[in-house]
Amino acid sequence: MSLAAHLEELGRPLVEHQLDHPTVAGIAKGDLPEPIFRSWLEQDYLFLLDYVRVFSRLAWQAPAAHLGDLVDLAHATYHDELALHRSLAAEFGADLGGAAKGPACQAYTAFLLDSAADYAEGLAALYPCMWGYSTLGARLAENPPAEPRYRRWVDTYADPGFAALTRRCAQMIDEAGADSARAEQLFLAGMRHELAFWDVPA
């Protein structure tokens, strides 16, 4: 089993915990109260700005074969995911420009930016976000919410193009030669940050 596949096996129980979280369950049913999603959207917007910086820091260290992959990941995050957030922000009345990081966002982005000081370790640390959202999107798309705004959110992460980016990230992990024990540690820490991120600040 490849390292990325091994990490995914370790992460599946934590994806189930995310699916059971009230915020995710509310998105799945389409009845999540708007103030909760609005707050989550503001936090995730700030998170994604730093996520682009993580990809950029890793791209500086990347072997030539994967420089383009990391540039593509940064581009997709900056242009596609952030465009979704800006569009949803207009519909939910979110204040993206005036938002401040809550504790979960601050802790997660600091963890990722610190981990990205090392190429192989940074890839393992960020994989929970890529793989986790791709997996959540696929699961939620099996019975998508009727509410169109939440359906659009689900469709973004269930999109085959997003799954393809996740597979490219997995390939980079497998080729980076990370210490498996260290990769497990960072991946599981990232998965715990993912779960904590759903606890939306008031």
Side-chain angles (χ1 to χ4, degrees), residues 109-134:
T109 54
F111 163 75
L112 288 174
L113 288 164
D114 287 347
S115 298
D118 179 273
Y119 178 69
E121 292 189 359
L123 289 171
L126 69 80
Y127 197 50
C129 188
M130 287 294 302
W131 172 76
Y133 270 66
S134 182

mmCIF file of all heavy atoms in Angstrom, residues 109-134:
data_model
loop_
_atom_site.group_PDB
_atom_site.id
_atom_site.type_symbol
_atom_site.label_atom_id
_atom_site.label_comp_id
_atom_site.label_asym_id
_atom_site.label_seq_id
_atom_site.Cartn_x
_atom_site.Cartn_y
_atom_site.Cartn_z
ATOM 1 N N THR A 109 -3.927 27.126 10.402
ATOM 2 C CA THR A 109 -3.055 27.759 9.419
ATOM 3 C C THR A 109 -1.614 27.832 9.917
ATOM 4 O O THR A 109 -0.671 27.638 9.146
ATOM 5 C CB THR A 109 -3.564 29.157 9.037
ATOM 6 O OG1 THR A 109 -3.739 29.952 10.213
ATOM 7 C CG2 THR A 109 -4.887 29.066 8.289
ATOM 8 N N ALA A 110 -1.431 28.073 11.221
ATOM 9 C CA ALA A 110 -0.073 28.092 11.771
ATOM 10 C C ALA A 110 0.576 26.719 11.630
ATOM 11 O O ALA A 110 1.760 26.601 11.274
ATOM 12 C CB ALA A 110 -0.107 28.519 13.234
ATOM 13 N N PHE A 111 -0.176 25.663 11.899
ATOM 14 C CA PHE A 111 0.317 24.289 11.749
ATOM 15 C C PHE A 111 0.754 24.013 10.310
ATOM 16 O O PHE A 111 1.835 23.469 10.057
ATOM 17 C CB PHE A 111 -0.782 23.316 12.184
ATOM 18 C CG PHE A 111 -0.595 21.906 11.727
ATOM 19 C CD1 PHE A 111 0.342 21.079 12.323
ATOM 20 C CD2 PHE A 111 -1.382 21.393 10.689
ATOM 21 C CE1 PHE A 111 0.510 19.760 11.892
ATOM 22 C CE2 PHE A 111 -1.226 20.088 10.266
ATOM 23 C CZ PHE A 111 -0.274 19.269 10.857
ATOM 24 N N LEU A 112 -0.072 24.407 9.341
ATOM 25 C CA LEU A 112 0.237 24.135 7.940
ATOM 26 C C LEU A 112 1.445 24.942 7.464
ATOM 27 O O LEU A 112 2.325 24.406 6.782
ATOM 28 C CB LEU A 112 -0.974 24.449 7.065
ATOM 29 C CG LEU A 112 -2.144 23.481 7.174
ATOM 30 C CD1 LEU A 112 -3.325 23.994 6.366
ATOM 31 C CD2 LEU A 112 -1.759 22.083 6.704
ATOM 32 N N LEU A 113 1.474 26.215 7.810
ATOM 33 C CA LEU A 113 2.590 27.046 7.364
ATOM 34 C C LEU A 113 3.905 26.593 7.988
ATOM 35 O O LEU A 113 4.945 26.589 7.318
ATOM 36 C CB LEU A 113 2.299 28.508 7.689
ATOM 37 C CG LEU A 113 1.207 29.148 6.815
ATOM 38 C CD1 LEU A 113 0.705 30.440 7.444
ATOM 39 C CD2 LEU A 113 1.728 29.409 5.405
ATOM 40 N N ASP A 114 3.874 26.177 9.243
ATOM 41 C CA ASP A 114 5.077 25.648 9.882
ATOM 42 C C ASP A 114 5.505 24.334 9.223
ATOM 43 O O ASP A 114 6.695 24.116 8.963
ATOM 44 C CB ASP A 114 4.835 25.421 11.370
ATOM 45 C CG ASP A 114 4.770 26.714 12.167
ATOM 46 O OD1 ASP A 114 5.152 27.774 11.630
ATOM 47 O OD2 ASP A 114 4.311 26.674 13.331
ATOM 48 N N SER A 115 4.554 23.453 8.964
ATOM 49 C CA SER A 115 4.871 22.153 8.362
ATOM 50 C C SER A 115 5.453 22.305 6.970
ATOM 51 O O SER A 115 6.287 21.496 6.535
ATOM 52 C CB SER A 115 3.608 21.283 8.297
ATOM 53 O OG SER A 115 3.097 21.027 9.594
ATOM 54 N N ALA A 116 5.043 23.353 6.254
ATOM 55 C CA ALA A 116 5.495 23.552 4.873
ATOM 56 C C ALA A 116 6.949 23.967 4.787
ATOM 57 O O ALA A 116 7.491 24.091 3.677
ATOM 58 C CB ALA A 116 4.609 24.582 4.179
ATOM 59 N N ALA A 117 7.613 24.159 5.919
ATOM 60 C CA ALA A 117 9.058 24.413 5.894
ATOM 61 C C ALA A 117 9.823 23.205 5.357
ATOM 62 O O ALA A 117 10.948 23.338 4.877
ATOM 63 C CB ALA A 117 9.551 24.773 7.287
ATOM 64 N N ASP A 118 9.205 22.035 5.453
ATOM 65 C CA ASP A 118 9.795 20.800 4.913
ATOM 66 C C ASP A 118 8.851 20.267 3.839
ATOM 67 O O ASP A 118 7.651 20.087 4.092
ATOM 68 C CB ASP A 118 9.971 19.762 6.023
ATOM 69 C CG ASP A 118 10.564 18.466 5.512
ATOM 70 O OD1 ASP A 118 9.783 17.590 5.065
ATOM 71 O OD2 ASP A 118 11.796 18.325 5.551
ATOM 72 N N TYR A 119 9.366 19.991 2.651
ATOM 73 C CA TYR A 119 8.523 19.614 1.509
ATOM 74 C C TYR A 119 7.669 18.381 1.788
ATOM 75 O O TYR A 119 6.435 18.422 1.678
ATOM 76 C CB TYR A 119 9.414 19.389 0.284
ATOM 77 C CG TYR A 119 8.666 18.944 -0.947
ATOM 78 C CD1 TYR A 119 7.806 19.811 -1.608
ATOM 79 C CD2 TYR A 119 8.827 17.658 -1.455
ATOM 80 C CE1 TYR A 119 7.117 19.404 -2.743
ATOM 81 C CE2 TYR A 119 8.163 17.254 -2.599
ATOM 82 C CZ TYR A 119 7.296 18.121 -3.239
ATOM 83 O OH TYR A 119 6.615 17.715 -4.360
ATOM 84 N N ALA A 120 8.299 17.279 2.160
ATOM 85 C CA ALA A 120 7.556 16.040 2.369
ATOM 86 C C ALA A 120 6.580 16.158 3.529
ATOM 87 O O ALA A 120 5.441 15.678 3.467
ATOM 88 C CB ALA A 120 8.524 14.872 2.592
ATOM 89 N N GLU A 121 7.014 16.806 4.610
ATOM 90 C CA GLU A 121 6.144 16.956 5.771
ATOM 91 C C GLU A 121 4.974 17.887 5.465
ATOM 92 O O GLU A 121 3.848 17.653 5.911
ATOM 93 C CB GLU A 121 6.950 17.464 6.963
ATOM 94 C CG GLU A 121 7.957 16.441 7.466
ATOM 95 C CD GLU A 121 8.612 16.842 8.773
ATOM 96 O OE1 GLU A 121 8.294 17.937 9.298
ATOM 97 O OE2 GLU A 121 9.427 16.045 9.277
ATOM 98 N N GLY A 122 5.234 18.932 4.702
ATOM 99 C CA GLY A 122 4.156 19.848 4.339
ATOM 100 C C GLY A 122 3.074 19.178 3.520
ATOM 101 O O GLY A 122 1.879 19.446 3.712
ATOM 102 N N LEU A 123 3.464 18.288 2.620
ATOM 103 C CA LEU A 123 2.474 17.564 1.818
ATOM 104 C C LEU A 123 1.590 16.680 2.699
ATOM 105 O O LEU A 123 0.371 16.624 2.514
ATOM 106 C CB LEU A 123 3.176 16.717 0.765
ATOM 107 C CG LEU A 123 3.839 17.466 -0.381
ATOM 108 C CD1 LEU A 123 4.677 16.501 -1.220
ATOM 109 C CD2 LEU A 123 2.804 18.170 -1.258
ATOM 110 N N ALA A 124 2.202 15.980 3.652
ATOM 111 C CA ALA A 124 1.421 15.124 4.546
ATOM 112 C C ALA A 124 0.471 15.950 5.409
ATOM 113 O O ALA A 124 -0.664 15.543 5.671
ATOM 114 C CB ALA A 124 2.365 14.304 5.428
ATOM 115 N N ALA A 125 0.928 17.136 5.841
ATOM 116 C CA ALA A 125 0.101 17.969 6.704
ATOM 117 C C ALA A 125 -1.099 18.550 5.980
ATOM 118 O O ALA A 125 -2.178 18.695 6.560
ATOM 119 C CB ALA A 125 0.952 19.104 7.289
ATOM 120 N N LEU A 126 -0.935 18.887 4.694
ATOM 121 C CA LEU A 126 -2.044 19.510 3.962
ATOM 122 C C LEU A 126 -3.011 18.494 3.360
ATOM 123 O O LEU A 126 -4.127 18.850 2.963
ATOM 124 C CB LEU A 126 -1.518 20.448 2.872
ATOM 125 C CG LEU A 126 -0.801 19.870 1.643
ATOM 126 C CD1 LEU A 126 -1.742 19.320 0.585
ATOM 127 C CD2 LEU A 126 0.070 20.966 1.011
ATOM 128 N N TYR A 127 -2.597 17.218 3.291
ATOM 129 C CA TYR A 127 -3.435 16.221 2.617
ATOM 130 C C TYR A 127 -4.810 16.054 3.265
ATOM 131 O O TYR A 127 -5.785 15.792 2.554
ATOM 132 C CB TYR A 127 -2.696 14.886 2.528
ATOM 133 C CG TYR A 127 -3.291 13.939 1.517
ATOM 134 C CD1 TYR A 127 -3.558 14.359 0.219
ATOM 135 C CD2 TYR A 127 -3.586 12.619 1.838
ATOM 136 C CE1 TYR A 127 -4.106 13.498 -0.718
ATOM 137 C CE2 TYR A 127 -4.126 11.751 0.916
ATOM 138 C CZ TYR A 127 -4.387 12.193 -0.369
ATOM 139 O OH TYR A 127 -4.929 11.342 -1.293
ATOM 140 N N PRO A 128 -4.963 16.202 4.579
ATOM 141 C CA PRO A 128 -6.305 16.079 5.150
ATOM 142 C C PRO A 128 -7.319 17.047 4.558
ATOM 143 O O PRO A 128 -8.513 16.709 4.440
ATOM 144 C CB PRO A 128 -6.082 16.370 6.634
ATOM 145 C CG PRO A 128 -4.701 15.904 6.888
ATOM 146 C CD PRO A 128 -3.951 16.304 5.650
ATOM 147 N N CYS A 129 -6.880 18.232 4.184
ATOM 148 C CA CYS A 129 -7.814 19.195 3.604
ATOM 149 C C CYS A 129 -8.200 18.770 2.185
ATOM 150 O O CYS A 129 -9.385 18.721 1.850
ATOM 151 C CB CYS A 129 -7.204 20.596 3.609
ATOM 152 S SG CYS A 129 -8.363 21.883 3.115
ATOM 153 N N MET A 130 -7.218 18.444 1.360
ATOM 154 C CA MET A 130 -7.513 18.027 -0.016
ATOM 155 C C MET A 130 -8.338 16.751 -0.043
ATOM 156 O O MET A 130 -9.434 16.699 -0.612
ATOM 157 C CB MET A 130 -6.204 17.786 -0.777
ATOM 158 C CG MET A 130 -5.419 19.015 -1.148
ATOM 159 S SD MET A 130 -6.249 20.076 -2.346
ATOM 160 C CE MET A 130 -6.491 18.950 -3.714
ATOM 161 N N TRP A 131 -7.806 15.718 0.583
ATOM 162 C CA TRP A 131 -8.485 14.418 0.540
ATOM 163 C C TRP A 131 -9.788 14.444 1.338
ATOM 164 O O TRP A 131 -10.795 13.871 0.917
ATOM 165 C CB TRP A 131 -7.548 13.336 1.092
ATOM 166 C CG TRP A 131 -8.222 12.024 1.261
ATOM 167 C CD1 TRP A 131 -8.548 11.132 0.281
ATOM 168 C CD2 TRP A 131 -8.697 11.471 2.484
ATOM 169 N NE1 TRP A 131 -9.183 10.047 0.821
ATOM 170 C CE2 TRP A 131 -9.292 10.226 2.170
ATOM 171 C CE3 TRP A 131 -8.673 11.885 3.815
ATOM 172 C CZ2 TRP A 131 -9.862 9.412 3.143
ATOM 173 C CZ3 TRP A 131 -9.232 11.075 4.783
ATOM 174 C CH2 TRP A 131 -9.826 9.858 4.443
ATOM 175 N N GLY A 132 -9.765 15.122 2.474
ATOM 176 C CA GLY A 132 -10.954 15.160 3.318
ATOM 177 C C GLY A 132 -12.128 15.820 2.623
ATOM 178 O O GLY A 132 -13.251 15.296 2.644
ATOM 179 N N TYR A 133 -11.900 16.959 1.979
ATOM 180 C CA TYR A 133 -13.005 17.643 1.313
ATOM 181 C C TYR A 133 -13.464 16.881 0.076
ATOM 182 O O TYR A 133 -14.661 16.855 -0.234
ATOM 183 C CB TYR A 133 -12.598 19.074 0.961
ATOM 184 C CG TYR A 133 -12.926 20.049 2.065
ATOM 185 C CD1 TYR A 133 -12.274 19.977 3.295
ATOM 186 C CD2 TYR A 133 -13.897 21.017 1.905
ATOM 187 C CE1 TYR A 133 -12.571 20.843 4.322
ATOM 188 C CE2 TYR A 133 -14.211 21.895 2.926
ATOM 189 C CZ TYR A 133 -13.543 21.803 4.141
ATOM 190 O OH TYR A 133 -13.862 22.657 5.165
ATOM 191 N N SER A 134 -12.543 16.268 -0.641
ATOM 192 C CA SER A 134 -12.935 15.444 -1.781
ATOM 193 C C SER A 134 -13.807 14.277 -1.331
ATOM 194 O O SER A 134 -14.824 13.949 -1.964
ATOM 195 C CB SER A 134 -11.685 14.933 -2.506
ATOM 196 O OG SER A 134 -12.030 14.165 -3.630
#
